[in-house]
Amino acid sequence: MSAERYAVGIDFGTESGRAVLVSCADGREIGTASFAYRNGVIDDRLPAPHDAVALEHDWALQDPEDYVRTFQEAVPAVLAETGVDPADVIGVGIDFTSCTMLPTLADGTPLCLLDELRAEPHAWVKLWKHHAAQTEADRINEVAAARGEPWLERYGGRISSEWFFSKALQILDEAPEIYARADRLLEAADWVVWQLTGVEVRNSCTAGYKAIWSKRDGFPDDAFFAALDPRFEHVVDEKMSRTITPIGSRAGGLSEQAAEWTGLVPGTAVAVANVDAHVSAPAVAVTEPGTMVIIMGTSNCHILLGDRAATVEGMCGVVEDGVVPGLFGFEAGQSAVGDIFAWFVDRFATAGHDALEREAARLRPGESGLLALDWWNGNRSVLVNADLRGLLVGMTLATEPHEIYRALLEATAFGTRVIVEAFVSQGVAVDAIVACGGLPERNRLLMQIYADVTGREIAVAASRQAPALGSALFGAVAAGASAGGYDSIVEASLRMVAPSAETYTPSADAHTVYDALYTEYVRLHDLFGRDADGPMQALKRIRARA
Amino acid sequence: MSAERYAVGIDFGTESGRAVLVSCADGREIGTASFAYRNGVIDDRLPAPHDAVALEHDWALQDPEDYVRTFQEAVPAVLAETGVDPADVIGVGIDFTSCTMLPTLADGTPLCLLDELRAEPHAWVKLWKHHAAQTEADRINEVAAARGEPWLERYGGRISSEWFFSKALQILDEAPEIYARADRLLEAADWVVWQLTGVEVRNSCTAGYKAIWSKRDGFPDDAFFAALDPRFEHVVDEKMSRTITPIGSRAGGLSEQAAEWTGLVPGTAVAVANVDAHVSAPAVAVTEPGTMVIIMGTSNCHILLGDRAATVEGMCGVVEDGVVPGLFGFEAGQSAVGDIFAWFVDRFATAGHDALEREAARLRPGESGLLALDWWNGNRSVLVNADLRGLLVGMTLATEPHEIYRALLEATAFGTRVIVEAFVSQGVAVDAIVACGGLPERNRLLMQIYADVTGREIAVAASRQAPALGSALFGAVAAGASAGGYDSIVEASLRMVAPSAETYTPSADAHTVYDALYTEYVRLHDLFGRDADGPMQALKRIRARA
């Protein structure tokens, strides 16, 4: 046993799981290994031999055995690759997509692993992007609004079809026998920690952001659930738990079985689970108020800390202890970002991303005369309206593809500025920005535009795998200082996160032009986004009839 | 000399002139020949040896010798090709782009043919799309509005930089010595008739639509011209003429010299000149109120007859005797149509027009959820605002190129419907539509969409060269019935125009969906088009500063 200590972070993504092994001393990423889920995203039909069962539109399931396989494949692989002695690995942390949830027996056995329920879609894991519970989400929002539920404002006034109770209620609505059979309903994040430790421990992050829980008020009243459906009245006590453990805690020690799967030592500290976006904040050195983290990829997720609660229009949620213990973690988001650029490049451009970026970078702000609303996949924050759609204005017969490409980049930056200003207007400071995720290192023009549009410095995180690193940080904290780790996530972040790779500084000239364009963006934003019977809603209605 | 009589129509286009020889009995097109102007559109530098003279942005000139060459080349060619005896050709008509104008000496010699003025851009022909007289147009509109000029409402409230007095005033502003040297300022349409006949005869069509003349009120008062510039006070009496000859008249007989150029017989009847769009109406059998002619190509031009004057929002003009003697001819337009489709296909589609049309034709109205404003080149009618720009709304991550293509076709149809409804609302009937020009036979989907959107039958004209055929009709009328022609354009049209090639009938179901989409189009139209400080204007301002 050498003096060096390590932690393992495991990031459960949409298509694969990834394990990263980092040094506890300085956060160096020693090795990484990933496992592509054998059954991936199940959105067409169930896996064989039940592939006669077709799924309806908007469904997205997963196979819980793929999560166990990630433990069995990725962790041993990263140990073998690095040659690190398992005895030197002091902690394990995990993060997960969310809300990804499943029904299980009292012992944690997923219902979909029972022979008699294997052909039943509702017995499987509902992935975050399972969108078939919109009816239930609508009912939840309606009933909550009618009852004046006090928790609504913590979620910007609406909860999503992706969230926990929407999905749970869909099981009850469509498969009451599955609902009855489920002893437990829980986040996959907590389920995999249960598999590692043998203990069911529910984390404050998913509970707060996806299951309407708060440290001060707990879950909504039973009367609220009863108003949704009498059979739903006791869902929390019957199938969930009122004991929520703050992130940054130790969930337990690695079980004998999990030690066998992973090659790690039994009893190794396992951290309470986390969500991929939220766990990225300490991984990019953000553990204090004032700096916004933007996880930029197909979509944008914005994470911000505050020392008090605030009601911010259209945010996804504010959760005490949701990101860093002792602080309020705010979340907001843009439902399409990289997805919009890919849509344009794949369908409308003969040149690739790189050529378009090169040409677009030569344009001055405002030069194209174009402006877009970035709502290709609806608006998550601050309008919280999935029915909104994309808009592009200003085309002439001379408009070129690289001009539209740049207008799309700018539109997502304006969308982020709307979110930034919504926070600032409610007294939640946004003094600087740290960007992580797949986009920042691939698209330099995009980063400069974000700096110029927001008028703020944007640092690009050093790590290319912030979620897994963040999980490793929480693993080191679960182990504690006495074992060679840390006693707080703040300290772990301070020691284990490398300085930013690159910083983008706003140009004063560009910012001035973008101020003028932003005024127009906001005008269009309000014109199309705040009218409940606007042209986009009408087009959707006409389309539905067509 | 056989019993059959013929007429020649000559259409002077932007890049070439075209002569068509038709039978006076039934309008059969016996032969056609064209001449590509040697100096084409002069928009970069003057022709050699004066090619050191560079033209400013927005200039567009032509060489009057190219018009004479068209007589010398195209007419003999069509005679040779058809073997028709020149003695059997009883009449010649011409039509021209407009306003295309030039300064000449008293004998008709273009100033640009004088050695000492050949290097002077203002001595050349200003082509219709010469857009460098915007300052002058603005001044004219401002002074006219301030003085409450009664003629403004005949032109939808604004006159264009393309028109006669804008161009004439630009000469005075920028080259007063050229202005002083010009004994005559006239339309190229009238200049070529002068070259054919030796007589200066000014036609009612260009005078009415482009030079603010009306049969009842003549030209604006000298005081108005004086208010523009004291040197401009007597422009009409000094350099133009108050004698305006109605279209449908005989301008004169072919001169010896013109007979030599063309191979026709001296004395052959020559009709008063016409404009390409307006001359198309009788060529597609429209000589009565109630049927709108749409000349569809890169842009749309709408011609409609009425038995009384009416003030219609944003129309280009209403002129008594402007299209058919004895009736009021209304003109409106859309500044980009085919140009928008070409813009999209050339820059944003890997598939060609045909594949896009095929796929787009499979969509149901409203199915794409898209809607566009067709203002890629501004809005000519009814908003009369060149600063307006294109808009596209409704995109999702699943939006495909053929859906956008169809939305662009539909947008131009909605634009036409706005024009149709503007006429109908003022009591000018539009019961049916006849389409001609390049687009109708190339794009069947477009024609069906126009029928479905307007809820009106659309007949496609039989002739592929309506302007030249229309000119031949006027040639036959100039000759008169006694010579084997006709005594009125109505009769010539009745006898010489073949029935429509094809008729598109509106589908009631599609029309219902398009009614709903049109409501949204009008909402966007008013939102973006009627606010003098709307987002499009702001984008233009920001762009100008960038």
Side-chain angles (χ1 to χ4, degrees), chain A residues 50 111-119:
Chain A
H50 301 287
L111 295 192
C112 66
L113 297 189
L114 304 177
D115 285 346
E116 70 273 24
L117 295 181
R118 219 158 156 66

Side-chain angles (χ1 to χ4, degrees), chain B residues 229-241:
Chain B
D229 189 313
R231 299 167 297 173
F232 211 52
E233 180 172 5
H234 300 295
V235 59
V236 174
D237 290 313
E238 284 173 4
K239 299 175 193 290
M240 297 169 65
S241 170

Side-chain angles (χ1 to χ4, degrees), chain A residues 335-336 339-340 343-344 347-350 364-371 375-377 388-401 403-404 513 516-517 520 523-524 527-528 531 533-536 538-546, chain B residues 335-336 339-340 343-344 347-350 364-371 375-377 388-401 403-404 513 516-517 520 523-524 527-528 531 533-536 538-546:
Chain A
S335 43
D339 271 352
I340 301 177
W343 169 85
F344 181 71
R347 286 178 177 73
F348 300 96
T350 45
R364 287 182 301 281
E367 184 182 347
S368 72
L370 297 172
L371 184 61
W375 302 341
W376 266 248
N377 195 19
L388 295 176
R389 293 291 175 253
L391 179 142
L392 182 65
V393 61
M395 290 79 83
T396 74
L397 294 171
T399 298
E400 295 290 344
E403 297 180 299
I404 294 182
V513 180
L517 280 170
E520 298 309 313
R523 172 146 65 156
L524 294 177
L527 215 51
F528 284 89
D531 179 353
D533 190 32
M536 292 182 189
L539 287 171
K540 193 194 148 122
R541 253 194 336 270
I542 294 167
R543 180 182 199 168
R545 284 200 301 265
Chain B
S335 41
D339 271 352
I340 301 177
W343 169 86
F344 181 71
R347 285 177 178 74
F348 300 95
T350 44
R364 288 182 302 278
E367 185 183 346
S368 72
L370 297 171
L371 184 62
W375 303 341
W376 265 248
N377 194 20
L388 296 176
R389 293 291 174 255
L391 179 143
L392 182 65
V393 60
M395 291 79 84
T396 73
L397 295 171
T399 298
E400 296 289 343
E403 296 180 298
I404 293 181
V513 180
L517 279 170
E520 298 308 312
R523 172 147 65 155
L524 293 177
L527 214 50
F528 284 89
D531 178 353
D533 190 31
M536 293 181 188
L539 287 172
K540 192 193 150 122
R541 255 196 333 272
I542 293 168
R543 181 182 197 166
R545 285 199 303 263

Side-chain angles (χ1 to χ4, degrees), chain A residues 15 19 40 49 85-86 92 94 134 153 162 214 245 271 284 309 361 409 427 494 498 535 546:
Chain A
E15 300 284 350
D85 182 345
V92 178
I94 76 101
Q134 187 62 53
E153 69 172 22
E162 291 183 5
S214 86
T245 308
V284 301
L409 303 188
L494 193 67

